[in-house]
PDB file of all heavy atoms in Angstrom:
ATOM      1  N   ASP A   1     -45.255 -43.749 148.849  1.00  0.00           N
ATOM      2  CA  ASP A   1     -45.379 -42.700 147.837  1.00  0.00           C
ATOM      3  C   ASP A   1     -46.786 -42.102 147.941  1.00  0.00           C
ATOM      4  O   ASP A   1     -47.759 -42.850 148.065  1.00  0.00           O
ATOM      5  CB  ASP A   1     -45.187 -43.326 146.450  1.00  0.00           C
ATOM      6  CG  ASP A   1     -45.106 -42.314 145.321  1.00  0.00           C
ATOM      7  OD1 ASP A   1     -45.704 -41.227 145.434  1.00  0.00           O
ATOM      8  OD2 ASP A   1     -44.465 -42.631 144.312  1.00  0.00           O
ATOM      9  N   PRO A   2     -46.923 -40.769 147.918  1.00  0.00           N
ATOM     10  CA  PRO A   2     -48.264 -40.198 147.971  1.00  0.00           C
ATOM     11  C   PRO A   2     -49.101 -40.548 146.729  1.00  0.00           C
ATOM     12  O   PRO A   2     -50.324 -40.469 146.767  1.00  0.00           O
ATOM     13  CB  PRO A   2     -48.039 -38.687 148.073  1.00  0.00           C
ATOM     14  CG  PRO A   2     -46.616 -38.451 147.730  1.00  0.00           C
ATOM     15  CD  PRO A   2     -45.885 -39.740 147.935  1.00  0.00           C
ATOM     16  N   ILE A   3     -48.440 -40.924 145.627  1.00  0.00           N
ATOM     17  CA  ILE A   3     -49.151 -41.460 144.472  1.00  0.00           C
ATOM     18  C   ILE A   3     -49.336 -42.941 144.769  1.00  0.00           C
ATOM     19  O   ILE A   3     -48.383 -43.699 144.844  1.00  0.00           O
ATOM     20  CB  ILE A   3     -48.354 -41.277 143.161  1.00  0.00           C
ATOM     21  CG1 ILE A   3     -47.918 -39.831 142.963  1.00  0.00           C
ATOM     22  CG2 ILE A   3     -49.142 -41.803 141.978  1.00  0.00           C
ATOM     23  CD1 ILE A   3     -49.052 -38.832 142.891  1.00  0.00           C
ATOM     24  N   TRP A   4     -50.549 -43.350 144.957  1.00  0.00           N
ATOM     25  CA  TRP A   4     -50.837 -44.695 145.440  1.00  0.00           C
ATOM     26  C   TRP A   4     -50.270 -45.779 144.537  1.00  0.00           C
ATOM     27  O   TRP A   4     -50.354 -45.696 143.307  1.00  0.00           O
ATOM     28  CB  TRP A   4     -52.328 -44.883 145.578  1.00  0.00           C
ATOM     29  CG  TRP A   4     -52.933 -44.099 146.699  1.00  0.00           C
ATOM     30  CD1 TRP A   4     -52.376 -43.047 147.362  1.00  0.00           C
ATOM     31  CD2 TRP A   4     -54.202 -44.296 147.266  1.00  0.00           C
ATOM     32  NE1 TRP A   4     -53.220 -42.585 148.309  1.00  0.00           N
ATOM     33  CE2 TRP A   4     -54.371 -43.333 148.275  1.00  0.00           C
ATOM     34  CE3 TRP A   4     -55.230 -45.186 147.028  1.00  0.00           C
ATOM     35  CZ2 TRP A   4     -55.513 -43.252 149.048  1.00  0.00           C
ATOM     36  CZ3 TRP A   4     -56.374 -45.102 147.786  1.00  0.00           C
ATOM     37  CH2 TRP A   4     -56.506 -44.144 148.799  1.00  0.00           C
ATOM     38  N   PRO A   5     -49.710 -46.834 145.125  1.00  0.00           N
ATOM     39  CA  PRO A   5     -49.190 -47.937 144.325  1.00  0.00           C
ATOM     40  C   PRO A   5     -50.282 -48.674 143.547  1.00  0.00           C
ATOM     41  O   PRO A   5     -49.998 -49.417 142.627  1.00  0.00           O
ATOM     42  CB  PRO A   5     -48.502 -48.856 145.334  1.00  0.00           C
ATOM     43  CG  PRO A   5     -48.892 -48.394 146.679  1.00  0.00           C
ATOM     44  CD  PRO A   5     -49.446 -47.009 146.553  1.00  0.00           C
ATOM     45  N   GLU A   6     -51.535 -48.432 143.897  1.00  0.00           N
ATOM     46  CA  GLU A   6     -52.635 -49.068 143.172  1.00  0.00           C
ATOM     47  C   GLU A   6     -52.606 -48.711 141.681  1.00  0.00           C
ATOM     48  O   GLU A   6     -53.024 -49.497 140.839  1.00  0.00           O
ATOM     49  CB  GLU A   6     -54.001 -48.668 143.763  1.00  0.00           C
ATOM     50  CG  GLU A   6     -54.309 -49.330 145.081  1.00  0.00           C
ATOM     51  CD  GLU A   6     -53.779 -48.577 146.294  1.00  0.00           C
ATOM     52  OE1 GLU A   6     -52.804 -47.786 146.173  1.00  0.00           O
ATOM     53  OE2 GLU A   6     -54.326 -48.785 147.382  1.00  0.00           O
ATOM     54  N   ASN A   7     -52.114 -47.512 141.359  1.00  0.00           N
ATOM     55  CA  ASN A   7     -52.022 -47.126 139.949  1.00  0.00           C
ATOM     56  C   ASN A   7     -51.079 -48.059 139.194  1.00  0.00           C
ATOM     57  O   ASN A   7     -51.396 -48.508 138.086  1.00  0.00           O
ATOM     58  CB  ASN A   7     -51.551 -45.676 139.819  1.00  0.00           C
ATOM     59  CG  ASN A   7     -52.532 -44.701 140.422  1.00  0.00           C
ATOM     60  OD1 ASN A   7     -53.737 -44.907 140.381  1.00  0.00           O
ATOM     61  ND2 ASN A   7     -52.024 -43.629 140.990  1.00  0.00           N
ATOM     62  N   SER A   8     -49.938 -48.351 139.793  1.00  0.00           N
ATOM     63  CA  SER A   8     -48.994 -49.274 139.168  1.00  0.00           C
ATOM     64  C   SER A   8     -49.578 -50.675 139.107  1.00  0.00           C
ATOM     65  O   SER A   8     -49.398 -51.389 138.108  1.00  0.00           O
ATOM     66  CB  SER A   8     -47.679 -49.294 139.943  1.00  0.00           C
ATOM     67  OG  SER A   8     -47.037 -48.049 139.843  1.00  0.00           O
ATOM     68  N   LEU A   9     -50.282 -51.074 140.142  1.00  0.00           N
ATOM     69  CA  LEU A   9     -50.897 -52.404 140.162  1.00  0.00           C
ATOM     70  C   LEU A   9     -51.950 -52.535 139.058  1.00  0.00           C
ATOM     71  O   LEU A   9     -52.001 -53.541 138.348  1.00  0.00           O
ATOM     72  CB  LEU A   9     -51.509 -52.693 141.530  1.00  0.00           C
ATOM     73  CG  LEU A   9     -52.197 -54.040 141.691  1.00  0.00           C
ATOM     74  CD1 LEU A   9     -51.253 -55.189 141.368  1.00  0.00           C
ATOM     75  CD2 LEU A   9     -52.763 -54.181 143.088  1.00  0.00           C
ATOM     76  N   ARG A  10     -52.766 -51.516 138.899  1.00  0.00           N
ATOM     77  CA  ARG A  10     -53.790 -51.559 137.836  1.00  0.00           C
ATOM     78  C   ARG A  10     -53.134 -51.686 136.456  1.00  0.00           C
ATOM     79  O   ARG A  10     -53.592 -52.457 135.614  1.00  0.00           O
ATOM     80  CB  ARG A  10     -54.662 -50.314 137.891  1.00  0.00           C
ATOM     81  CG  ARG A  10     -55.663 -50.339 139.009  1.00  0.00           C
ATOM     82  CD  ARG A  10     -56.632 -49.163 138.913  1.00  0.00           C
ATOM     83  NE  ARG A  10     -57.358 -49.041 140.149  1.00  0.00           N
ATOM     84  CZ  ARG A  10     -57.188 -48.067 141.030  1.00  0.00           C
ATOM     85  NH1 ARG A  10     -56.333 -47.084 140.794  1.00  0.00           N
ATOM     86  NH2 ARG A  10     -57.886 -48.042 142.146  1.00  0.00           N
ATOM     87  N   MET A  11     -52.092 -50.916 136.228  1.00  0.00           N
ATOM     88  CA  MET A  11     -51.398 -50.986 134.952  1.00  0.00           C
ATOM     89  C   MET A  11     -50.785 -52.362 134.753  1.00  0.00           C
ATOM     90  O   MET A  11     -50.884 -52.955 133.679  1.00  0.00           O
ATOM     91  CB  MET A  11     -50.320 -49.898 134.889  1.00  0.00           C
ATOM     92  CG  MET A  11     -49.520 -49.891 133.629  1.00  0.00           C
ATOM     93  SD  MET A  11     -50.516 -49.375 132.228  1.00  0.00           S
ATOM     94  CE  MET A  11     -49.251 -49.308 130.973  1.00  0.00           C
ATOM     95  N   PHE A  12     -50.158 -52.903 135.794  1.00  0.00           N
ATOM     96  CA  PHE A  12     -49.571 -54.232 135.735  1.00  0.00           C
ATOM     97  C   PHE A  12     -50.622 -55.273 135.365  1.00  0.00           C
ATOM     98  O   PHE A  12     -50.399 -56.131 134.503  1.00  0.00           O
ATOM     99  CB  PHE A  12     -48.927 -54.562 137.087  1.00  0.00           C
ATOM    100  CG  PHE A  12     -48.371 -55.947 137.177  1.00  0.00           C
ATOM    101  CD1 PHE A  12     -47.106 -56.231 136.680  1.00  0.00           C
ATOM    102  CD2 PHE A  12     -49.099 -56.965 137.761  1.00  0.00           C
ATOM    103  CE1 PHE A  12     -46.588 -57.516 136.770  1.00  0.00           C
ATOM    104  CE2 PHE A  12     -48.593 -58.246 137.846  1.00  0.00           C
ATOM    105  CZ  PHE A  12     -47.331 -58.524 137.349  1.00  0.00           C
ATOM    106  N   LEU A  13     -51.799 -55.196 135.992  1.00  0.00           N
ATOM    107  CA  LEU A  13     -52.869 -56.158 135.713  1.00  0.00           C
ATOM    108  C   LEU A  13     -53.397 -56.031 134.285  1.00  0.00           C
ATOM    109  O   LEU A  13     -53.723 -57.037 133.651  1.00  0.00           O
ATOM    110  CB  LEU A  13     -54.001 -55.993 136.728  1.00  0.00           C
ATOM    111  CG  LEU A  13     -53.636 -56.385 138.164  1.00  0.00           C
ATOM    112  CD1 LEU A  13     -54.769 -56.024 139.117  1.00  0.00           C
ATOM    113  CD2 LEU A  13     -53.283 -57.868 138.255  1.00  0.00           C
ATOM    114  N   GLU A  14     -53.460 -54.810 133.784  1.00  0.00           N
ATOM    115  CA  GLU A  14     -53.882 -54.619 132.387  1.00  0.00           C
ATOM    116  C   GLU A  14     -52.854 -55.217 131.427  1.00  0.00           C
ATOM    117  O   GLU A  14     -53.217 -55.844 130.428  1.00  0.00           O
ATOM    118  CB  GLU A  14     -54.112 -53.145 132.069  1.00  0.00           C
ATOM    119  CG  GLU A  14     -55.418 -52.605 132.623  1.00  0.00           C
ATOM    120  CD  GLU A  14     -56.642 -53.321 132.051  1.00  0.00           C
ATOM    121  OE1 GLU A  14     -56.750 -53.453 130.811  1.00  0.00           O
ATOM    122  OE2 GLU A  14     -57.494 -53.734 132.845  1.00  0.00           O
ATOM    123  N   LEU A  15     -51.587 -55.025 131.724  1.00  0.00           N
ATOM    124  CA  LEU A  15     -50.542 -55.610 130.898  1.00  0.00           C
ATOM    125  C   LEU A  15     -50.646 -57.133 130.907  1.00  0.00           C
ATOM    126  O   LEU A  15     -50.546 -57.787 129.862  1.00  0.00           O
ATOM    127  CB  LEU A  15     -49.160 -55.161 131.368  1.00  0.00           C
ATOM    128  CG  LEU A  15     -48.827 -53.693 131.133  1.00  0.00           C
ATOM    129  CD1 LEU A  15     -47.567 -53.308 131.900  1.00  0.00           C
ATOM    130  CD2 LEU A  15     -48.663 -53.391 129.660  1.00  0.00           C
ATOM    131  N   LYS A  16     -50.878 -57.691 132.086  1.00  0.00           N
ATOM    132  CA  LYS A  16     -51.028 -59.148 132.204  1.00  0.00           C
ATOM    133  C   LYS A  16     -52.218 -59.637 131.392  1.00  0.00           C
ATOM    134  O   LYS A  16     -52.128 -60.641 130.687  1.00  0.00           O
ATOM    135  CB  LYS A  16     -51.170 -59.548 133.673  1.00  0.00           C
ATOM    136  CG  LYS A  16     -51.280 -61.055 133.883  1.00  0.00           C
ATOM    137  CD  LYS A  16     -51.229 -61.398 135.343  1.00  0.00           C
ATOM    138  CE  LYS A  16     -51.457 -62.866 135.617  1.00  0.00           C
ATOM    139  NZ  LYS A  16     -50.516 -63.767 135.001  1.00  0.00           N
ATOM    140  N   LYS A  17     -53.318 -58.913 131.470  1.00  0.00           N
ATOM    141  CA  LYS A  17     -54.526 -59.291 130.725  1.00  0.00           C
ATOM    142  C   LYS A  17     -54.249 -59.345 129.220  1.00  0.00           C
ATOM    143  O   LYS A  17     -54.798 -60.173 128.511  1.00  0.00           O
ATOM    144  CB  LYS A  17     -55.645 -58.294 131.028  1.00  0.00           C
ATOM    145  CG  LYS A  17     -56.958 -58.639 130.359  1.00  0.00           C
ATOM    146  CD  LYS A  17     -58.148 -57.876 130.911  1.00  0.00           C
ATOM    147  CE  LYS A  17     -58.035 -56.406 130.777  1.00  0.00           C
ATOM    148  NZ  LYS A  17     -59.282 -55.693 131.139  1.00  0.00           N
ATOM    149  N   HIS A  18     -53.374 -58.474 128.761  1.00  0.00           N
ATOM    150  CA  HIS A  18     -53.053 -58.407 127.333  1.00  0.00           C
ATOM    151  C   HIS A  18     -51.758 -59.160 126.989  1.00  0.00           C
ATOM    152  O   HIS A  18     -51.194 -58.971 125.913  1.00  0.00           O
ATOM    153  CB  HIS A  18     -52.961 -56.947 126.893  1.00  0.00           C
ATOM    154  CG  HIS A  18     -54.285 -56.258 126.961  1.00  0.00           C
ATOM    155  ND1 HIS A  18     -55.265 -56.426 126.010  1.00  0.00           N
ATOM    156  CD2 HIS A  18     -54.819 -55.438 127.897  1.00  0.00           C
ATOM    157  CE1 HIS A  18     -56.329 -55.725 126.339  1.00  0.00           C
ATOM    158  NE2 HIS A  18     -56.079 -55.119 127.491  1.00  0.00           N
ATOM    159  N   LYS A  19     -51.307 -59.988 127.961  1.00  0.00           N
ATOM    160  CA  LYS A  19     -50.127 -60.840 127.774  1.00  0.00           C
ATOM    161  C   LYS A  19     -48.847 -60.059 127.450  1.00  0.00           C
ATOM    162  O   LYS A  19     -48.003 -60.503 126.675  1.00  0.00           O
ATOM    163  CB  LYS A  19     -50.404 -61.902 126.714  1.00  0.00           C
ATOM    164  CG  LYS A  19     -51.580 -62.810 127.085  1.00  0.00           C
ATOM    165  CD  LYS A  19     -51.755 -63.916 126.080  1.00  0.00           C
ATOM    166  CE  LYS A  19     -52.949 -64.780 126.275  1.00  0.00           C
ATOM    167  NZ  LYS A  19     -53.534 -65.019 127.488  1.00  0.00           N
ATOM    168  N   VAL A  20     -48.733 -58.884 128.057  1.00  0.00           N
ATOM    169  CA  VAL A  20     -47.514 -58.076 127.915  1.00  0.00           C
ATOM    170  C   VAL A  20     -46.625 -58.384 129.123  1.00  0.00           C
ATOM    171  O   VAL A  20     -47.055 -58.220 130.265  1.00  0.00           O
ATOM    172  CB  VAL A  20     -47.844 -56.566 127.858  1.00  0.00           C
ATOM    173  CG1 VAL A  20     -46.575 -55.736 127.828  1.00  0.00           C
ATOM    174  CG2 VAL A  20     -48.744 -56.257 126.672  1.00  0.00           C
ATOM    175  N   PRO A  21     -45.394 -58.827 128.900  1.00  0.00           N
ATOM    176  CA  PRO A  21     -44.508 -59.144 130.023  1.00  0.00           C
ATOM    177  C   PRO A  21     -44.272 -57.915 130.911  1.00  0.00           C
ATOM    178  O   PRO A  21     -44.037 -56.818 130.409  1.00  0.00           O
ATOM    179  CB  PRO A  21     -43.201 -59.569 129.344  1.00  0.00           C
ATOM    180  CG  PRO A  21     -43.581 -59.938 127.948  1.00  0.00           C
ATOM    181  CD  PRO A  21     -44.753 -59.077 127.603  1.00  0.00           C
ATOM    182  N   ALA A  22     -44.350 -58.143 132.216  1.00  0.00           N
ATOM    183  CA  ALA A  22     -44.156 -57.039 133.165  1.00  0.00           C
ATOM    184  C   ALA A  22     -43.670 -57.587 134.495  1.00  0.00           C
ATOM    185  O   ALA A  22     -43.887 -58.752 134.815  1.00  0.00           O
ATOM    186  CB  ALA A  22     -45.458 -56.267 133.356  1.00  0.00           C
ATOM    187  N   GLU A  23     -43.008 -56.704 135.244  1.00  0.00           N
ATOM    188  CA  GLU A  23     -42.562 -57.045 136.595  1.00  0.00           C
ATOM    189  C   GLU A  23     -42.861 -55.844 137.481  1.00  0.00           C
ATOM    190  O   GLU A  23     -42.598 -54.705 137.087  1.00  0.00           O
ATOM    191  CB  GLU A  23     -41.072 -57.377 136.591  1.00  0.00           C
ATOM    192  CG  GLU A  23     -40.583 -57.858 137.940  1.00  0.00           C
ATOM    193  CD  GLU A  23     -39.274 -58.635 137.830  1.00  0.00           C
ATOM    194  OE1 GLU A  23     -39.180 -59.518 136.950  1.00  0.00           O
ATOM    195  OE2 GLU A  23     -38.368 -58.346 138.608  1.00  0.00           O
ATOM    196  N   LEU A  24     -43.402 -56.107 138.667  1.00  0.00           N
ATOM    197  CA  LEU A  24     -43.807 -55.046 139.594  1.00  0.00           C
ATOM    198  C   LEU A  24     -43.144 -55.254 140.946  1.00  0.00           C
ATOM    199  O   LEU A  24     -43.227 -56.339 141.520  1.00  0.00           O
ATOM    200  CB  LEU A  24     -45.332 -55.052 139.759  1.00  0.00           C
ATOM    201  CG  LEU A  24     -45.925 -54.173 140.849  1.00  0.00           C
ATOM    202  CD1 LEU A  24     -45.686 -52.700 140.558  1.00  0.00           C
ATOM    203  CD2 LEU A  24     -47.411 -54.448 140.993  1.00  0.00           C
ATOM    204  N   HIS A  25     -42.487 -54.202 141.446  1.00  0.00           N
ATOM    205  CA  HIS A  25     -41.882 -54.222 142.776  1.00  0.00           C
ATOM    206  C   HIS A  25     -42.472 -53.056 143.567  1.00  0.00           C
ATOM    207  O   HIS A  25     -42.425 -51.911 143.113  1.00  0.00           O
ATOM    208  CB  HIS A  25     -40.360 -54.040 142.687  1.00  0.00           C
ATOM    209  CG  HIS A  25     -39.687 -55.179 141.998  1.00  0.00           C
ATOM    210  ND1 HIS A  25     -39.072 -56.200 142.678  1.00  0.00           N
ATOM    211  CD2 HIS A  25     -39.549 -55.473 140.683  1.00  0.00           C
ATOM    212  CE1 HIS A  25     -38.575 -57.070 141.808  1.00  0.00           C
ATOM    213  NE2 HIS A  25     -38.862 -56.639 140.585  1.00  0.00           N
ATOM    214  N   VAL A  26     -43.004 -53.362 144.735  1.00  0.00           N
ATOM    215  CA  VAL A  26     -43.493 -52.315 145.633  1.00  0.00           C
ATOM    216  C   VAL A  26     -42.646 -52.402 146.897  1.00  0.00           C
ATOM    217  O   VAL A  26     -42.691 -53.394 147.623  1.00  0.00           O
ATOM    218  CB  VAL A  26     -45.000 -52.478 145.959  1.00  0.00           C
ATOM    219  CG1 VAL A  26     -45.452 -51.381 146.914  1.00  0.00           C
ATOM    220  CG2 VAL A  26     -45.838 -52.459 144.682  1.00  0.00           C
ATOM    221  N   TYR A  27     -41.864 -51.357 147.118  1.00  0.00           N
ATOM    222  CA  TYR A  27     -40.972 -51.295 148.274  1.00  0.00           C
ATOM    223  C   TYR A  27     -41.668 -50.603 149.442  1.00  0.00           C
ATOM    224  O   TYR A  27     -42.497 -49.721 149.243  1.00  0.00           O
ATOM    225  CB  TYR A  27     -39.691 -50.545 147.903  1.00  0.00           C
ATOM    226  CG  TYR A  27     -38.913 -51.258 146.826  1.00  0.00           C
ATOM    227  CD1 TYR A  27     -39.058 -50.921 145.486  1.00  0.00           C
ATOM    228  CD2 TYR A  27     -38.047 -52.288 147.161  1.00  0.00           C
ATOM    229  CE1 TYR A  27     -38.357 -51.593 144.495  1.00  0.00           C
ATOM    230  CE2 TYR A  27     -37.331 -52.969 146.176  1.00  0.00           C
ATOM    231  CZ  TYR A  27     -37.496 -52.619 144.852  1.00  0.00           C
ATOM    232  OH  TYR A  27     -36.806 -53.288 143.881  1.00  0.00           O
ATOM    233  N   SER A  28     -41.312 -50.984 150.645  1.00  0.00           N
ATOM    234  CA  SER A  28     -41.979 -50.440 151.832  1.00  0.00           C
ATOM    235  C   SER A  28     -41.772 -48.938 151.992  1.00  0.00           C
ATOM    236  O   SER A  28     -42.674 -48.229 152.429  1.00  0.00           O
ATOM    237  CB  SER A  28     -41.510 -51.168 153.091  1.00  0.00           C
ATOM    238  OG  SER A  28     -40.111 -51.038 153.240  1.00  0.00           O
ATOM    239  N   THR A  29     -40.598 -48.457 151.638  1.00  0.00           N
ATOM    240  CA  THR A  29     -40.307 -47.033 151.758  1.00  0.00           C
ATOM    241  C   THR A  29     -39.543 -46.551 150.528  1.00  0.00           C
ATOM    242  O   THR A  29     -39.027 -47.358 149.756  1.00  0.00           O
ATOM    243  CB  THR A  29     -39.468 -46.718 153.006  1.00  0.00           C
ATOM    244  OG1 THR A  29     -38.240 -47.436 152.926  1.00  0.00           O
ATOM    245  CG2 THR A  29     -40.203 -47.067 154.291  1.00  0.00           C
ATOM    246  N   GLY A  30     -39.466 -45.260 150.389  1.00  0.00           N
ATOM    247  CA  GLY A  30     -38.755 -44.660 149.272  1.00  0.00           C
ATOM    248  C   GLY A  30     -39.384 -43.343 148.876  1.00  0.00           C
ATOM    249  O   GLY A  30     -38.753 -42.496 148.266  1.00  0.00           O
ATOM    250  N   GLY A  31     -40.667 -43.186 149.228  1.00  0.00           N
ATOM    251  CA  GLY A  31     -41.358 -41.947 148.901  1.00  0.00           C
ATOM    252  C   GLY A  31     -41.568 -41.797 147.409  1.00  0.00           C
ATOM    253  O   GLY A  31     -41.562 -42.760 146.663  1.00  0.00           O
ATOM    254  N   HIS A  32     -41.731 -40.549 146.967  1.00  0.00           N
ATOM    255  CA  HIS A  32     -41.967 -40.274 145.551  1.00  0.00           C
ATOM    256  C   HIS A  32     -40.669 -39.822 144.886  1.00  0.00           C
ATOM    257  O   HIS A  32     -39.941 -39.006 145.429  1.00  0.00           O
ATOM    258  CB  HIS A  32     -43.031 -39.182 145.396  1.00  0.00           C
ATOM    259  CG  HIS A  32     -43.399 -38.944 143.972  1.00  0.00           C
ATOM    260  ND1 HIS A  32     -44.168 -39.830 143.265  1.00  0.00           N
ATOM    261  CD2 HIS A  32     -43.093 -37.946 143.123  1.00  0.00           C
ATOM    262  CE1 HIS A  32     -44.330 -39.373 142.039  1.00  0.00           C
ATOM    263  NE2 HIS A  32     -43.680 -38.232 141.920  1.00  0.00           N
ATOM    264  N   GLY A  33     -40.375 -40.373 143.732  1.00  0.00           N
ATOM    265  CA  GLY A  33     -39.201 -39.958 142.983  1.00  0.00           C
ATOM    266  C   GLY A  33     -37.897 -40.386 143.614  1.00  0.00           C
ATOM    267  O   GLY A  33     -36.932 -39.626 143.623  1.00  0.00           O
ATOM    268  N   PHE A  34     -37.830 -41.607 144.128  1.00  0.00           N
ATOM    269  CA  PHE A  34     -36.605 -42.044 144.794  1.00  0.00           C
ATOM    270  C   PHE A  34     -35.455 -42.240 143.819  1.00  0.00           C
ATOM    271  O   PHE A  34     -34.298 -42.176 144.208  1.00  0.00           O
ATOM    272  CB  PHE A  34     -36.814 -43.303 145.640  1.00  0.00           C
ATOM    273  CG  PHE A  34     -37.517 -44.428 144.950  1.00  0.00           C
ATOM    274  CD1 PHE A  34     -36.849 -45.295 144.123  1.00  0.00           C
ATOM    275  CD2 PHE A  34     -38.881 -44.612 145.146  1.00  0.00           C
ATOM    276  CE1 PHE A  34     -37.501 -46.345 143.502  1.00  0.00           C
ATOM    277  CE2 PHE A  34     -39.550 -45.657 144.541  1.00  0.00           C
ATOM    278  CZ  PHE A  34     -38.858 -46.522 143.714  1.00  0.00           C
TER     279      PHE A  34
END
């Protein structure tokens, strides 16, 4: 995805820090808006 997955990772880590349940999947392909 041209929108870097780091944005999702940062959000996931913030949720974890605040003990908010979350699940993150980063797929090898799919592009943007799959």
Side-chain angles (χ1 to χ4, degrees):
D1 188 331
I3 308 300
W4 290 17
E6 286 87 336
N7 297 326
S8 294
L9 179 57
R10 284 188 194 109
M11 179 69 174
F12 176 83
L13 293 173
E14 283 299 310
L15 291 168
K16 182 172 175 60
K17 183 166 60 172
H18 293 282
K19 300 185 186 332
V20 175
E23 185 160 313
L24 170 65
H25 295 261
V26 179
Y27 297 95
S28 59
T29 59
H32 185 74
F34 49 82

